[in-house]
Amino acid sequence: MPRSVTEMLVVVALGGNALLQRGEPMTAETQRDNVRRAAASLAEMVRAGHRLVVTHGNGPQIGLLALQGAAYRPDEAYPLDVLGAETEGMVGYLIEQELENALDHAVPVVTLLTQVVVDSKDTAFANPTKPVGPTYEEKEARRLAAARGWRIAPDGTGWRRIVSSPLPLEIPDMRVIKLLVEREVIVICAGGGGIPVVKLEDGSLVGVEAVIDKDRASGLLAEQLKADALLLLTDVDAVYRQWGTPQASPVQAISPDETELLDLPVGSMGPKVEAASRFVQAGGAVAGIGLLADAAKILDGTAGTLFLGRKVDDGA
């Protein structure tokens, strides 16, 4: 099928906190309701003529699975790479089914468990920054950290467990992803940043205890696919200057060289801005950050924050 003039190949990254928002009960029903709304936004983009590759976060989900495992047999809990594979399948299944329903099964959709290679010597293993699991009051978070050997950090108005988040270097499954995209299949892949693995001297792969940042993995995926656009969708409507202060103001458009002036949270908005900037610098037409419900509007520049390859004036 030839591509139309307006059609773009878009990598859409659905944030874990957008699929399970802060304060919501971590139930299957809640997640399905949120995924159904996400699927409606994605379907709108497909009907507008765009081709999609979808990724998603797993911070809340992988933390929940880790808690369930520890409650059963703490000494036999599954490692984070295995939990990452479980959440990739679980969330991917929900997105696949709801997107198929939203499109009346007119477009093929598939979920692909995706391994992502990281460096075993990455300094991130000694400096955890990635929030996972539910939000706690500070006192409860400190109690759990002492009891379970967690590292914790503030996240919004609460506290969460943080884990290592090494940089993604390679996507071994890229050949399969490209083949599916060429066949006009909507691919759901690299969920939760992908399953973290390291490459041994003999070339074999083995999982490691980490959670790769979904936005960085999505940026790498978009670059290697030579996608036209990268959308990073979350539970915040835009990137903000002076976030968390009374002077906070949304950024409508920005160039990569201007992002250094923003003071951004390391484990959440920081990687999104980094991924968006890198994608544009690598030749991508446009990147955007904003609300999941505003996906189509972000793409046409009427919502969220756009990243462009030149210095811009957003009026802020």
Side-chain angles (χ1 to χ4, degrees):
M1 181 184 300
R3 297 176 65 182
S4 66
V5 175
T6 58
E7 179 187 356
M8 292 194 289
L9 175 59
V10 186
V11 172
V12 184
L14 308 177
N17 287 326
L19 297 176
L20 186 61
Q21 298 178 26
R22 292 177 177 87
E24 288 188 322
M26 299 179 72
T27 64
E29 181 179 0
T30 297
Q31 293 181 74
R32 182 175 287 280
D33 286 344
N34 287 335
V35 167
R36 188 175 294 118
R37 286 190 287 270
S41 293
L42 297 178
E44 182 181 353
M45 297 174 64
V46 174
R47 285 191 286 267
H50 303 304
R51 296 187 299 163
L52 303 185
V53 175
V54 182
T55 70
H56 59 82
N58 71 343
Q61 294 82 6
I62 197 170
L64 176 61
L65 286 182
L67 283 173
Q68 291 173 339
Y72 175 58
R73 290 288 298 270
D75 57 329
E76 296 182 4
Y78 284 112
L80 287 175
D81 62 306
V82 174
L83 297 181
E86 290 185 23
T87 57
E88 191 171 3
M90 176 182 70
V91 179
Y93 155 66
L94 294 175
I95 296 172
E96 178 180 333
Q97 187 176 79
E98 293 301 334
L99 186 52
E100 287 174 335
N101 291 339
L103 293 170
D104 295 323
H105 300 269
V107 182
V109 184
V110 69
T111 300
L112 179 70
L113 294 184
T114 314
Q115 299 177 88
V116 175
V117 176
V118 301
D119 185 349
S120 62
K121 298 179 181 178
D122 193 311
T123 56
F125 284 107
N127 182 34
T129 59
K130 181 66 178 175
V132 300
T135 301
Y136 300 98
E137 295 289 338
E138 181 177 358
K139 183 177 180 180
E140 178 66 5
R142 293 192 181 282
R143 184 189 70 79
L144 290 170
R148 298 175 177 172
W150 289 356
R151 296 280 291 275
I152 58 172
D155 183 46
T157 58
W159 287 67
R160 293 173 73 187
R161 178 189 178 188
I162 54 173
V163 299
S164 300
S165 185
L167 292 174
L169 302 177
E170 178 187 348
I171 303 175
D173 301 304
M174 184 57 68
R175 286 190 302 170
V176 179
I177 297 170
K178 287 182 176 179
L179 178 62
L180 292 166
V181 170
E182 289 169 2
R183 296 283 181 156
E184 304 288 341
V185 176
I186 297 176
V187 186
I188 303 164
C189 61
I195 303 164
V197 298
V198 296
K199 187 175 294 185
L200 304 181
E201 291 184 2
D202 63 0
S204 59
L205 302 176
V206 62
V208 290
E209 188 79 355
V211 174
I212 301 170
D213 184 83
K214 168 264 307 171
D215 299 308
R216 292 189 174 111
S218 300
L220 177 63
L221 175 68
E223 289 178 39
Q224 295 192 354
L225 282 175
K226 299 189 184 307
D228 302 300
L230 170 65
L231 290 185
L232 305 167
L233 306 178
T234 183
D235 58 350
V236 179
D237 64 344
V239 178
Y240 277 72
R241 289 190 174 90
Q242 301 185 61
W243 173 256
T245 73
Q247 293 75 38
S249 61
V251 178
Q252 295 177 349
I254 195 169
S255 64
D257 59 311
E258 295 173 300
T259 60
E260 296 180 0
L261 302 177
L262 303 174
D263 184 17
L264 302 168
V266 174
S268 53
M269 189 57 77
K272 289 178 175 56
V273 169
E274 175 191 308
S277 298
R278 176 172 172 171
F279 174 72
V280 169
Q281 289 173 318
V286 65
I289 297 175
L291 286 173
L292 191 154
D294 290 341
K297 293 179 180 179
I298 297 169
L299 201 57
D300 65 25
T302 59
T305 299
L306 282 183
F307 290 74
L308 306 170
R310 57 183 175 80
K311 192 168 184 177
V312 298
D313 180 8
D314 65 5

